[in-house]
């Protein structure tokens, strides 16, 4: 039995693999351009870190919203990226993976934002409720932190 090469896509495949190797990573959080806050000297990135990790010195418990949101979106994002990578290889077009990264980034961003209103966060302490008045949702006073959550591909 003999084997014949009808079409050789080696060059296209290698070029696509080289482009795929240069495709960036997805980061979800508070990018620098969304860090500022109108209502406070503290920026959104600092506020996010304090809430995510807690601050024992300020008696602020950790309320990890990034970890929760990313974990909830992880499986869907992996599937989106897998399909994008497969399309990129099948079409010899790294742009398919870039599009998938944007889609996965948006899924992760929305998942993290959703944690703020999902009811998954530990309820506020009585002392905090007294300070906040009618605003009883953890991590939401103005909504600035929630809307600052975004994704970037680098």
């Amino acid at each position: 039995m003999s084997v014949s090469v009808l079409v050789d896509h080696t060059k296209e495949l290698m070029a696509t693999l080289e482009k795929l190797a240069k495709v960036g990573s997805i980061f979800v959080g508070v990018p620098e351009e969304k860090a500022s806050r109108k209502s406070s000297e503290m920026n959104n990135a600092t506020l996010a870190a304090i809430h995510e990790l807690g601050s024992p010195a300020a008696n602020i418990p950790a309320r990890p919203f990034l970890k929760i949101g990313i974990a909830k979106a992880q499986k869907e994002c992996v599937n989106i990226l897998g399909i994008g990578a497969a399309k990129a290889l099948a079409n010899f077009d790294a742009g398919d993976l870039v599009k998938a990264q944007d889609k996965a980034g948006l899924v992760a961003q929305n998942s993290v934002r959703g944690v703020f209103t999902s009811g998954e966060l530990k309820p506020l302490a009585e002392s905090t409720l007294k300070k906040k008045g009618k605003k009883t949702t953890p991590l939401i006073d103005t909504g600035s932190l929630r809307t600052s959550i975004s994704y970037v591909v680098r």
Side-chain angles (χ1 to χ4, degrees), residues 17-136:
L17 287 172
E18 285 179 24
K19 288 178 185 174
L20 290 177
K22 295 177 184 174
V23 171
S25 298
I26 304 167
F27 297 91
V28 178
V30 182
E32 184 177 350
E33 61 272 9
K34 292 193 173 191
S36 65
R37 294 175 61 86
K38 293 178 185 174
S39 61
S40 171
E41 291 181 20
M42 184 181 305
N43 71 28
N44 282 316
T46 302
L47 188 59
I50 289 170
H51 286 305
E52 184 73 17
L53 304 171
S55 175
N59 198 28
I60 299 172
R63 293 189 189 280
F65 59 94
L66 282 166
K67 290 177 190 173
I68 292 170
I70 296 297
K72 286 173 61 175
Q74 188 172 11
K75 186 175 181 180
E76 183 178 357
C77 289
V78 167
N79 289 336
I80 291 167
L81 294 170
I83 291 167
K87 282 183 181 178
L89 290 172
N91 299 329
F92 305 117
D93 183 0
D96 289 320
L97 182 56
V98 172
K99 289 176 191 171
Q101 284 184 307
D102 282 331
K103 185 175 180 180
L106 193 57
V107 165
Q109 168 190 297
N110 289 336
S111 179
V112 171
R113 286 181 178 183
V115 172
F116 283 75
T117 56
S118 68
E120 295 174 73
L121 297 171
K122 182 179 174 183
L124 296 172
E126 283 298 319
S127 58
T128 305
L129 288 171
K130 287 177 185 174
K131 291 178 195 172
K132 289 181 77 165
K134 293 181 180 183
K135 298 177 182 177
T136 61

